[in-house]
């Protein structure tokens, strides 16, 4: 009788081992992938986006690539990240800020407006890859 | 690493020990020195191999080897239960396979360089398959075996690897040609015939030899492999359409011509017409699976040994009877997990040939297990083929281990490159 119980118990132990192995492996793989996915996200956030200058008042700025990853301010004032000494640009013209995985451009009530893809920017908008931004006489292309 | 923290590594090695304990309690005479030594060695091996590979081979994939060890330990305990003599033999094959796998990883640089010569690989595979016609011996209604001294081997198993290499390198080299559809036949977009003629010729000869040898399982496997790889390279559905049309014609033709194909199909359509005669095997397999139910009858409680040749083709039914639906799902899940990890390796490859080869290895393993599982459960007509890593069989074990060795070598290489 005891032997019978023992055998049954061992049989269930065997089945349990099989299930536990598959479960644990799946769990480990899941955590492994999750960890990797999150670390990749951080890497993605660190990865820089760029503004490529397509057209400008200054010949020397042409085809320059400006890499950045956090907030970037544009305007005529010397405290901006990108100083555009162009008569059509306001002192604090526009700002590009990262929001989660995306980048948002906001017009700071500039006199001559900011244009994204030929349309007038109404307050703020999320930037997509290859968007054309026009500030004063300078034209940028947003790249990510 | 997560799996070390959670102690999963010991679980696959516990299986042979537990099984041996159950066997011993039922029958004291089984505890001979030889059996005990083999069981201990198996337990140690299944712990040591994943650990050692992680330690000595840099950047290797950490999950595939424990999963393979799990399948091998399932194989060992089923052998122990079904036939004691095969238990020893199977353990020997597993050890040789693992040694071969590490050798493959060690020499992978040289082996993978062979991928630059697709036609040599293609010709070799035809020679290997064809050698059976000349030197082969007929065992069990199919001419697939070469007997050398005490060993029997099935060269077709090894040709699988060669033809995978051929397909990977040929398709990659001609990728642009195949993707260049300049012939329209109705809704089909195909490149000129001369670009895929070598592929069709080599693959067609292989297929014809298999049909001649009555090795239907391998014919089906090779057909699926070629279709899978071509579609993976070109993503052109015209090839799938052509393959399906060809498949329908070929199966109809072989149904009319070959008596053994007709028998298989008749058994598949209605096994209850002759349950004690020709359909005995499949009927017993279905009974075994049904009798197993959800939790199975328990190890040693069922009677899977009444299914003829249960240790190769029908080992799945034996697992189904003794471990039930849960055990069966665990086995299928393990195959899927290996496939998943392999596909992950394939995605990370930058070298297109390695990418295709690792996809091919993974896909072939999954396709092979599908063909035999579907045959066992009467989803498709039964074709005799081994269940990778579980069925008894030296050739199949060795070739599977070699394939996995290549896969692991590729993964180590790509991870190393990614870390740079």
């Amino acid at each position: 009788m005891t032997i019978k119980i023992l055998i049954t118990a061992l049989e269930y132990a065997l089945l349990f081992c099989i299930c536990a192995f598959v479960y644990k492996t799946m769990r480990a793989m899941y955590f492994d992938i999750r960890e990797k996915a999150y670390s990749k996200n951080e890497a993605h956030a660190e990865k820089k986006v760029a503004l490529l200058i397509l057209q400008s008042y200054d010949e020397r700025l042409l085809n320059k690539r400006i890499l950045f990853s956090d907030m970037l301010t544009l305007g005529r004032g010397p405290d901006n990240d990108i100083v555009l000494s162009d008569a059509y640009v306001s002192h604090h013209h526009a700002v590009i800020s990262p929001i989660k995985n995306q980048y948002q451009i906001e017009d700071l009530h500039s006199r001559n407006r900011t244009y994204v893809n030929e349309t007038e920017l109404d307050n703020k908008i999320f930037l997509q890859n290859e968007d054309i931004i026009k500030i004063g006489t300078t034209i940028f292309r947003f790249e990510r | 690493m997560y799996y070390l923290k959670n102690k999963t590594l010991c679980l696959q090695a516990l299986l042979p020990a537990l099984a041996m304990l159950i066997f011993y309690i039922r029958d004291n005479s089984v505890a001979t020195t030889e059996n005990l030594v083999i069981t201990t060695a198996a337990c140690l091996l299944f712990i040591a191999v994943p650990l050692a590979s992680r330690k000595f081979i840099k950047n290797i994939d950490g999950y595939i080897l424990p999963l393979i060890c799990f399948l091998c330990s399932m194989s060992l305990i089923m052998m122990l239960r079904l036939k004691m003599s095969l238990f020893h033999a199977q353990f020997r094959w597993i050890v040789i396979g693992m040694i071969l796998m590490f050798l493959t990883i060690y020499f992978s640089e040289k082996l993978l360089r062979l991928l630059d010569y697709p036609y040599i690989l293609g010709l070799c595979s035809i020679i290997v398959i064809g050698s059976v016609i000349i030197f082969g011996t007929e065992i069990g209604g199919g001419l697939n075996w070469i007997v050398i001294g005490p060993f029997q081997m099935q060269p077709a198993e090894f040709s699988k690897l060669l033809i995978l290499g051929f397909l990977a390198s040929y398709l990659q080299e001609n990728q642009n040609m195949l993707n260049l559809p300049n012939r329209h036949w109705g809704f089909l977009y195909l490149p000129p015939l001369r670009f895929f003629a070598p592929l069709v010729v080599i693959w067609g000869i292989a297929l014809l030899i298999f049909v001649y040898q009555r090795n239907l399982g391998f014919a089906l496997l090779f057909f699926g492999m070629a279709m899978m790889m071509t579609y993976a390279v070109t993503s052109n559905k015209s090839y799938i359409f052509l393959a399906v049309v060809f498949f329908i014609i070929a199966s109809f033709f072989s149904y009319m011509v070959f008596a053994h194909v007709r028998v298989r199909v008749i058994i598949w359509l209605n096994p209850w017409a002759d349950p004690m005669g020709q359909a005995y095997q499949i009927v017993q397999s279905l009974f075994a699976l049904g009798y197993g139910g959800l939790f199975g009858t328990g190890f040693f409680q069922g009677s899977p040994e009444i299914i003829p040749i249960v240790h190769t083709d029908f080992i799945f039914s034996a697992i189904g009877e003794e471990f039930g639906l849960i055990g069966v799902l665990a086995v299928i899940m393990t195959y899927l997990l290996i496939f998943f990890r392999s596909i992950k390796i394939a995605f990370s490859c930058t070298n297109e040939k390695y990418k295709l080869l690792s996809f091919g290895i993974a896909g072939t393993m999954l396709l092979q297990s599908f063909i035999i599982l579907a045959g066992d459960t009467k989803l498709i007509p039964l074709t005799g083929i081994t269940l990778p890593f579980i069925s008894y069989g030296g050739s199949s074990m060795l070739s599977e281990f070699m394939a996995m060795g290549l896969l692991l070598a590729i993964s180590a290489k790509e991870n190393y490159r990614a870390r740079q």
Side-chain angles (χ1 to χ4, degrees), chain B residues 263-284 286-287 377-378:
Chain B
V263 169
R264 293 280 170 89
V265 174
I266 289 167
I267 289 172
W268 171 60
L269 284 175
N270 187 8
W272 308 107
D274 187 14
M276 294 312 284
Q278 284 174 325
Y280 184 69
Q281 205 177 16
I282 189 80
V283 164
Q284 289 304 325
L286 290 177
F287 277 146
T377 48
K378 204 175 80 65

Side-chain angles (χ1 to χ4, degrees), chain B residues 129-300:
Chain B
I129 303 167
S131 65
V132 181
I133 297 180
I134 305 164
F135 306 109
T137 331
E138 193 166 327
I139 296 174
L143 182 71
N144 329 329
W145 299 88
I146 289 185
V147 181
I148 306 170
F151 297 110
Q152 302 169 346
M153 60 175 217
Q154 202 168 5
E157 293 280 358
F158 297 101
S159 71
K160 206 166 66 183
L161 270 177
L162 289 169
I163 209 115
L164 267 178
F166 164 71
L167 282 173
S169 68
Y170 178 81
L171 286 172
Q172 196 273 330
E173 277 172 17
N174 296 291
Q175 189 177 15
N176 295 332
M177 303 294 183
L178 292 169
N179 260 334
L180 197 94
N182 56 359
R183 295 285 158 84
H184 295 215
W185 288 317
F187 57 94
L188 294 176
Y189 293 85
L190 291 173
L193 185 66
R194 66 174 185 281
F195 290 131
F196 63 91
L199 175 75
V200 171
V201 166
I202 289 186
W203 169 75
I205 293 175
L207 215 58
L208 277 180
I209 296 174
F210 281 137
V211 171
Y212 174 74
Q213 292 168 358
R214 300 192 191 169
N215 197 342
L216 292 176
F218 266 99
L220 192 57
L221 186 66
F222 269 52
F223 180 80
M225 254 157 64
M227 194 166 98
M228 206 168 63
M229 302 271 282
T230 318
Y231 183 62
V233 171
T234 58
S235 65
N236 179 350
K237 292 193 184 67
S238 302
Y239 291 110
I240 299 269
F241 177 80
L242 274 190
V244 170
V245 168
F246 174 78
F247 180 74
I248 292 170
I249 295 171
S251 41
F252 184 73
F253 177 76
S254 52
Y255 180 79
M256 299 316 273
V257 173
F258 300 112
H260 60 281
V261 178
R262 225 171 301 146
V263 169
R264 293 280 170 89
V265 174
I266 289 167
I267 289 172
W268 171 60
L269 284 175
N270 187 8
W272 308 107
D274 187 14
M276 294 312 284
Q278 284 174 325
Y280 184 69
Q281 205 177 16
I282 189 80
V283 164
Q284 289 304 325
S285 156
L286 290 177
F287 277 146
L289 285 169
Y291 193 52
L294 188 59
F295 290 101
T297 55
F299 197 57
F300 273 100

Side-chain angles (χ1 to χ4, degrees), chain B residues 45-64:
Chain B
L45 189 75
F46 291 146
I47 291 182
V49 163
L51 273 183
S53 73
R54 291 190 62 78
K55 194 152 176 58
F56 293 115
I57 305 165
K58 292 242 157 55
N59 301 319
I60 201 168
D61 188 289
Y63 293 103
I64 291 183

